[in-house]
Short mmCIF file of all heavy atoms in Angstrom, two decimals:
data_model
loop_
_atom_site.label_atom_id
_atom_site.label_comp_id
_atom_site.label_asym_id
_atom_site.label_seq_id
_atom_site.Cartn_x
_atom_site.Cartn_y
_atom_site.Cartn_z
N ASN A 234 3.15 -12.84 19.09
CA ASN A 234 2.93 -13.38 17.77
C ASN A 234 1.85 -12.68 16.98
O ASN A 234 1.12 -13.16 16.14
CB ASN A 234 2.59 -14.85 17.86
CG ASN A 234 3.76 -15.70 18.35
OD1 ASN A 234 4.95 -15.45 18.01
ND2 ASN A 234 3.46 -16.62 19.27
N LYS A 235 1.71 -11.40 17.29
CA LYS A 235 0.76 -10.54 16.54
C LYS A 235 1.35 -9.67 15.56
O LYS A 235 0.78 -8.93 14.81
CB LYS A 235 -0.05 -9.70 17.60
CG LYS A 235 -0.96 -10.51 18.50
CD LYS A 235 -1.77 -9.54 19.40
CE LYS A 235 -2.64 -10.37 20.31
NZ LYS A 235 -3.45 -9.49 21.26
N LEU A 236 2.78 -9.69 15.44
CA LEU A 236 3.46 -8.88 14.56
C LEU A 236 4.76 -9.60 14.14
O LEU A 236 5.44 -10.18 14.97
CB LEU A 236 3.80 -7.47 15.16
CG LEU A 236 4.61 -6.46 14.31
CD1 LEU A 236 3.78 -6.05 13.13
CD2 LEU A 236 5.06 -5.29 15.16
N ASP A 237 5.11 -9.50 12.89
CA ASP A 237 6.31 -10.20 12.35
C ASP A 237 7.53 -9.28 12.79
O ASP A 237 7.45 -8.05 12.71
CB ASP A 237 6.26 -10.23 10.80
CG ASP A 237 7.54 -10.85 10.28
OD1 ASP A 237 7.68 -12.03 10.40
OD2 ASP A 237 8.35 -10.03 9.74
N ALA A 238 8.57 -9.93 13.22
CA ALA A 238 9.80 -9.23 13.71
C ALA A 238 10.43 -8.34 12.63
O ALA A 238 10.85 -7.23 12.96
CB ALA A 238 10.83 -10.26 14.24
N GLN A 239 10.42 -8.81 11.40
CA GLN A 239 11.01 -8.00 10.36
C GLN A 239 10.15 -6.76 10.09
O GLN A 239 10.64 -5.67 9.84
CB GLN A 239 11.16 -8.83 9.03
CG GLN A 239 11.76 -8.10 7.90
CD GLN A 239 13.17 -7.50 8.19
OE1 GLN A 239 13.97 -8.27 8.69
NE2 GLN A 239 13.31 -6.21 8.04
N LYS A 240 8.81 -6.92 10.17
CA LYS A 240 7.94 -5.81 10.01
C LYS A 240 8.13 -4.77 11.06
O LYS A 240 8.12 -3.54 10.87
CB LYS A 240 6.46 -6.23 9.94
CG LYS A 240 5.53 -5.14 9.49
CD LYS A 240 4.12 -5.64 9.33
CE LYS A 240 3.20 -4.55 8.78
NZ LYS A 240 1.82 -5.07 8.55
N ARG A 241 8.45 -5.21 12.28
CA ARG A 241 8.76 -4.26 13.35
C ARG A 241 9.92 -3.47 13.07
O ARG A 241 9.94 -2.23 13.25
CB ARG A 241 8.99 -5.06 14.71
CG ARG A 241 9.46 -4.13 15.84
CD ARG A 241 9.94 -4.97 17.04
NE ARG A 241 10.44 -4.15 18.10
CZ ARG A 241 11.69 -3.73 18.17
NH1 ARG A 241 12.62 -3.99 17.22
NH2 ARG A 241 12.04 -2.91 19.20
N GLU A 242 10.99 -4.10 12.54
CA GLU A 242 12.20 -3.33 12.22
C GLU A 242 11.94 -2.41 11.06
O GLU A 242 12.44 -1.23 11.14
CB GLU A 242 13.31 -4.37 11.79
CG GLU A 242 13.86 -5.18 12.96
CD GLU A 242 14.37 -4.35 14.12
OE1 GLU A 242 15.06 -3.36 13.89
OE2 GLU A 242 13.95 -4.65 15.25
N THR A 243 11.18 -2.74 10.09
CA THR A 243 10.83 -1.84 8.99
C THR A 243 10.11 -0.67 9.52
O THR A 243 10.42 0.50 9.14
CB THR A 243 9.97 -2.59 7.95
OG1 THR A 243 10.70 -3.68 7.47
CG2 THR A 243 9.60 -1.61 6.78
N MET A 244 9.10 -0.85 10.38
CA MET A 244 8.31 0.32 10.88
C MET A 244 9.21 1.19 11.79
O MET A 244 9.14 2.41 11.78
CB MET A 244 7.13 -0.20 11.64
CG MET A 244 6.14 -0.92 10.75
SD MET A 244 4.53 -1.29 11.62
CE MET A 244 5.03 -2.31 12.92
N LEU A 245 10.11 0.61 12.59
CA LEU A 245 10.99 1.36 13.43
C LEU A 245 11.95 2.24 12.65
O LEU A 245 12.26 3.33 13.01
CB LEU A 245 11.77 0.46 14.32
CG LEU A 245 12.45 1.06 15.57
CD1 LEU A 245 11.46 1.86 16.44
CD2 LEU A 245 13.10 -0.05 16.44
N GLN A 246 12.39 1.71 11.45
CA GLN A 246 13.25 2.49 10.66
C GLN A 246 12.54 3.66 10.05
O GLN A 246 13.15 4.64 9.58
CB GLN A 246 13.81 1.61 9.51
CG GLN A 246 14.84 0.58 10.04
CD GLN A 246 15.22 -0.48 8.98
OE1 GLN A 246 15.00 -0.32 7.77
NE2 GLN A 246 15.89 -1.55 9.41
N ARG A 247 11.25 3.57 9.95
CA ARG A 247 10.47 4.72 9.38
C ARG A 247 10.39 5.91 10.35
O ARG A 247 10.00 7.05 10.00
CB ARG A 247 8.99 4.29 8.99
CG ARG A 247 8.98 3.32 7.91
CD ARG A 247 7.55 2.91 7.64
NE ARG A 247 7.51 1.83 6.59
CZ ARG A 247 6.57 0.83 6.58
NH1 ARG A 247 5.69 0.76 7.52
NH2 ARG A 247 6.61 -0.07 5.63
N LEU A 248 10.64 5.63 11.67
CA LEU A 248 10.54 6.66 12.72
C LEU A 248 11.85 7.39 12.88
O LEU A 248 12.90 6.72 13.19
CB LEU A 248 10.14 6.07 14.05
CG LEU A 248 8.66 5.57 14.22
CD1 LEU A 248 8.43 4.93 15.61
CD2 LEU A 248 7.74 6.74 14.07
N SER A 249 11.89 8.65 12.84
CA SER A 249 13.10 9.46 13.10
C SER A 249 12.75 10.61 14.01
O SER A 249 11.69 11.16 13.95
CB SER A 249 13.63 9.99 11.76
OG SER A 249 14.00 8.96 10.87
N CYS A 250 13.77 10.97 14.90
CA CYS A 250 13.54 12.10 15.76
C CYS A 250 14.32 13.32 15.18
O CYS A 250 15.45 13.09 14.70
CB CYS A 250 14.10 11.72 17.12
SG CYS A 250 13.24 10.37 17.91
N VAL A 251 13.71 14.46 15.25
CA VAL A 251 14.44 15.68 14.70
C VAL A 251 14.49 16.66 15.90
O VAL A 251 13.58 16.70 16.71
CB VAL A 251 13.76 16.22 13.48
CG1 VAL A 251 13.80 15.23 12.40
CG2 VAL A 251 12.33 16.63 13.82
N GLY A 252 15.54 17.51 15.86
CA GLY A 252 15.70 18.38 16.95
C GLY A 252 15.33 19.84 16.63
O GLY A 252 15.29 20.67 17.53
N GLU A 253 15.04 20.11 15.37
CA GLU A 253 14.63 21.48 14.97
C GLU A 253 13.35 21.39 14.14
O GLU A 253 13.15 20.46 13.41
CB GLU A 253 15.73 22.13 14.17
CG GLU A 253 17.09 22.26 14.89
CD GLU A 253 17.04 23.25 16.03
OE1 GLU A 253 16.17 24.15 16.05
OE2 GLU A 253 17.85 23.14 16.92
#
Side-chain angles (χ1 to χ4, degrees):
N234 295 318
K235 295 183 178 180
L236 180 67
D237 180 75
Q239 182 56 52
K240 190 171 183 179
R241 172 190 179 274
E242 291 305 315
T243 300
M244 293 190 301
L245 194 55
Q246 288 171 14
R247 293 177 187 147
L248 287 177
S249 302
C250 300
V251 298
E253 301 292 338

